[in-house]
Amino acid sequence: TRSEGETITGGTRTSVVTRLNQARALLGEQDRWDDAIDLYESVVEEQPSNTEALTYLGWLQYRSGEPADAALENLDQAIAIDGDYPDALVFKTIVLSDAGRYDEAGVALGALDLETAPEGIRSLVIQRGLVGVVYGESVYAALEVEGSPTLVELGLSPEQALAAAGYLLGTDKSGRSVAALKLYEAVVDADPDNSAALSRQGMLLAFTLEPDLLDQAVVLVERAVVADPDDPEALLSRVTVFTLADVSPEVACVDAALLRSFDDLPDDFLAQLDALDLDCPT
């Protein structure tokens, strides 16, 4: 006899929980993925509504080279059962993004609550730069045309727009700088005190070294620091832009000294400060 949730394998009674644990242990061993797939399939056969088994069955199928549609069928079943299951939402986002189906990927990613997602899922989203890739690709065509769309028209939050701009700047797309500027403008229009958007917009304009744009950049980074005087990015942008524009060197020196006093200042911020070679009194 066997109780519900148990199966007989090789003369040994193996519960669903045991098989799931066995499959989890194999996820980091690519040469054992076939065994993990067999375990997940056996669980799904016995419990068709098991979201973990459906999710990881679909994910391993995809990672093993099976067509995206086969993986999506299992992932979609898991999401239909539990629309908040973060693992399924992230895996579906990746599969759709890899297939160039960015609008659909954006819907899946938008349903994910990163703040409550497990650390492993958050790390996966960050490592792959999913927010920037998915939303950057999905809105790029709209940014290529004349005019400046709003965040509402683009269907983006300020955080998504900032990530999209950062992603686009790292690509070789034509007009990537203009596209990023439009995104920064859209964020500032929706949130005039967004120090990140003000800082990045100012920096992008300043590095053109064109006098009129440098003047605009000075105004933008001033606004960024006023909006958040303790934001290291805002302070670094003001140091950089003021140095490039050759204005208020004393302010740049004060900002630089303040930045160096921060205990947790990122190494790349220190490297950028050093590269500016400021002539400040000691």
Side-chain angles (χ1 to χ4, degrees):
T1 61
R2 64 174 178 170
S3 61
E4 184 178 358
E6 294 181 333
T7 187
I8 304 299
T9 304
T12 303
R13 180 177 297 165
T14 306
S15 70
V16 165
V17 172
T18 298
R19 278 175 280 156
L20 289 175
N21 286 334
Q22 291 171 339
R24 289 187 204 114
L26 299 176
L27 291 177
E29 302 179 41
Q30 188 169 350
D31 59 343
R32 299 289 306 279
W33 281 354
D34 285 345
D35 294 332
I37 287 173
D38 289 342
L39 287 165
Y40 285 129
E41 284 179 336
S42 73
V43 173
V44 170
E45 182 179 356
E46 192 169 328
Q47 293 184 354
S49 62
N50 190 298
T51 54
E52 178 183 346
L54 285 166
T55 295
Y56 282 86
L57 174 58
W59 179 235
L60 287 184
Q61 287 173 328
Y62 178 67
R63 296 289 302 279
S64 299
E66 293 192 30
D69 286 343
L72 288 171
E73 182 176 348
N74 284 312
L75 292 170
D76 283 339
Q77 285 186 48
I79 293 169
I81 296 165
D82 182 356
D84 297 323
Y85 189 41
D87 305 53
L89 291 170
V90 168
F91 296 156
K92 181 176 180 178
T93 299
I94 293 172
V95 174
L96 291 170
S97 178
D98 288 349
R101 295 160 62 177
Y102 297 109
D103 288 345
E104 295 172 76
V107 173
L109 187 56
L112 174 68
D113 184 353
L114 270 178
E115 291 186 3
T116 61
E119 179 60 32
I121 293 299
R122 289 198 299 271
S123 296
L124 184 59
V125 171
I126 293 169
Q127 288 168 4
R128 287 179 171 259
L130 280 179
V131 177
V133 172
V134 169
Y135 295 116
E137 291 288 353
S138 66
V139 301
Y140 177 65
L143 298 170
E144 281 190 295
V145 300
E146 188 175 351
S148 298
T150 66
L151 289 185
V152 172
E153 291 169 338
L154 293 171
L156 300 181
S157 69
E159 293 75 20
Q160 291 166 348
L162 290 172
Y167 162 75
L168 290 173
L169 286 173
T171 69
D172 59 359
K173 295 180 182 294
S174 62
R176 58 188 179 277
S177 294
V178 173
L181 282 172
K182 287 183 178 182
L183 286 168
Y184 293 143
E185 289 171 1
V187 173
V188 172
D189 284 345
D191 179 9
D193 291 330
N194 191 299
S195 61
L198 291 164
S199 298
R200 296 171 198 180
Q201 186 181 4
M203 290 280 277
L204 196 52
L205 291 175
F207 280 115
T208 66
L209 299 180
E210 295 182 17
D212 290 345
L213 297 182
L214 270 171
D215 290 343
Q216 293 181 43
V218 167
V219 174
L220 288 166
V221 296
E222 281 275 31
R223 287 177 57 190
V225 175
V226 170
D228 190 349
D230 297 320
D231 179 12
E233 183 178 4
L235 291 167
L236 181 61
S237 71
R238 187 163 69 173
V239 175
T240 304
V241 172
F242 277 24
T243 302
L244 291 173
D246 194 22
V247 298
S248 303
E250 64 282 356
V251 173
C253 286
V254 170
D255 286 346
L258 179 58
L259 282 167
R260 292 186 188 279
S261 72
F262 290 174
D263 292 332
D264 55 351
L265 192 70
D267 290 341
D268 59 328
F269 277 36
L270 286 171
Q272 290 180 58
L273 278 177
D274 292 339
L276 291 172
D277 195 22
L278 299 171
D279 184 17
C280 297
T282 56

